[in-house]
Amino acid sequence: MRFFLIQSLNGLALGGLLFLLSSGFSLIFGLMRVANLAHGAFFMLGAYVGLSALRAGLGFFAAVVIGGLAIAILGALLERFLLRKLAGRLLSQVLITLGIAFIIGDASLLVWSGDPMPLPIPDALAGVVRFGSIFFPRYRLAVVGFSVVVLAILWVALERTRVGAMIRAGVDDMEMARGLGIAVPRLFTLVFCLGAALAGMGGVLGGPILSVYPGLDMDMLPLALIVLILGGPGNLLGAFAGSYFIGFLYTFGQALFPDLAYVILFLPMVAALALRPQGLFKLRAA
């Protein structure tokens, strides 16, 4: 019982981080039909930027904001000057985002070296919370709470604002959105910046749990792709459900069957592609 409770709490923490990564990834793909393979690199680079902010003497929460803003700016430049010129050319977009991921990876290795570097836990969230005989880090529970807050904010923004209505219209029918006079290029830039910012913030928040190291991007990207497939493109609630499902599945797979962890992880993706390519968690599109 103790083992399953601890692993369940670990699965919740990983699910929260995956949602921060995959929610933006899902919105970008749902609206722009761009499989941004640099998204995992955004997560890793955000963590490195946050680490540099902490070393400069800034607080942890300031580092989270700076990491998100830095990656949002990078995302805006990538969308405006590269991806916009390749609109409708799927293979070219995949190739260029993969190339950007490799460039970010090599540049990070050059600047921050190849050693794993954990980010310090903020003092306000240090310590543990007791569940009976179980002691669990307070910070990991805070990450879960933060993911729920982000879900609520995104849901309100997408469902209760004019910009959210335009994004949902673009996800449902891009040609109709153009016909209604929606400024699609600006919408693309906004959504891409939002997705990139969420990935950057997720990287900083994940630093105390995962550490930051070369290869973190390629460790996280497959998880985001699986969540996208399970939740459905552009489906915010599907991304939330898929993130926690994969968080639990990956955590228990690593703990119980370490030699088969990736088999257990990728089987749902194969099943989803074969049986429900629109996503297992088919809720209303964002």
Side-chain angles (χ1 to χ4, degrees):
M1 182 65 183
R2 178 185 175 90
F3 168 81
F4 284 99
L5 180 57
I6 291 175
Q7 295 305 322
S8 295
L9 292 171
N10 286 329
L12 283 173
L14 179 59
L17 291 177
L18 285 180
F19 176 69
L20 295 175
L21 176 66
S22 61
S23 56
F25 189 60
S26 178
L27 289 175
I28 289 171
F29 189 84
L31 178 65
M32 302 173 63
R33 305 300 189 265
V34 173
N36 177 25
L37 298 187
H39 208 70
F42 287 171
F43 183 91
M44 180 184 70
L45 185 58
Y48 275 125
V49 171
L51 177 65
S52 295
L54 289 170
R55 288 177 173 176
L58 299 177
F60 184 84
F61 299 105
V64 172
V65 174
I66 291 171
L69 286 176
I71 306 307
I73 293 171
L74 176 62
L77 295 174
L78 174 61
E79 191 281 329
R80 175 62 181 85
F81 295 105
L82 294 177
L83 292 177
R84 190 176 297 184
K85 298 179 184 297
L86 300 173
R89 298 166 60 183
L90 180 60
L91 292 179
S92 297
Q93 293 171 344
V94 168
L95 181 60
I96 201 166
T97 55
L98 183 61
I100 293 295
F102 285 133
I103 291 171
I104 291 175
D106 285 350
S108 299
L109 181 62
L110 180 64
V111 174
W112 287 283
S113 81
D115 297 325
M117 301 176 184
L119 275 68
I121 294 174
D123 293 337
L125 298 176
V128 297
V129 176
R130 183 173 181 176
F131 298 94
S133 61
I134 303 297
F135 294 89
F136 196 74
R138 181 179 287 111
Y139 179 78
R140 297 194 178 205
L141 295 177
V143 169
V144 177
F146 185 79
S147 72
V148 175
V149 170
V150 169
L151 171 66
I153 293 173
L154 289 177
W155 186 86
V156 170
L158 291 173
E159 298 289 338
R160 296 290 184 264
T161 67
R162 184 171 181 272
V163 173
M166 291 190 294
I167 292 174
R168 285 186 283 111
V171 170
D172 291 337
D173 192 330
M174 178 56 66
E175 295 304 319
M176 181 62 72
R178 292 178 186 273
L180 292 174
I182 294 175
V184 172
R186 292 182 182 178
L187 198 64
F188 279 179
T189 301
L190 174 64
V191 171
F192 205 91
C193 286
L194 174 62
L198 287 171
M201 294 172 64
V204 182
L205 291 168
I209 300 174
L210 304 173
S211 298
V212 55
Y213 54 88
L216 176 63
D217 52 341
M218 294 305 172
D219 287 343
M220 299 302 292
L221 181 62
L223 301 180
L225 286 168
I226 297 172
V227 171
L228 172 68
I229 292 169
L230 293 180
N235 190 331
L236 183 62
L237 296 180
F240 186 80
S243 295
Y244 279 93
F245 177 74
I246 292 301
F248 274 87
L249 191 66
Y250 187 70
T251 299
F252 277 99
Q254 288 278 29
L256 296 173
F257 308 103
D259 293 336
L260 299 175
Y262 282 100
V263 175
I264 296 171
L265 182 64
F266 280 93
L267 275 177
M269 182 188 70
V270 174
L273 286 172
L275 302 175
R276 289 178 62 87
Q278 75 274 25
L280 295 181
F281 305 101
K282 185 170 177 53
L283 304 170
R284 182 183 176 187

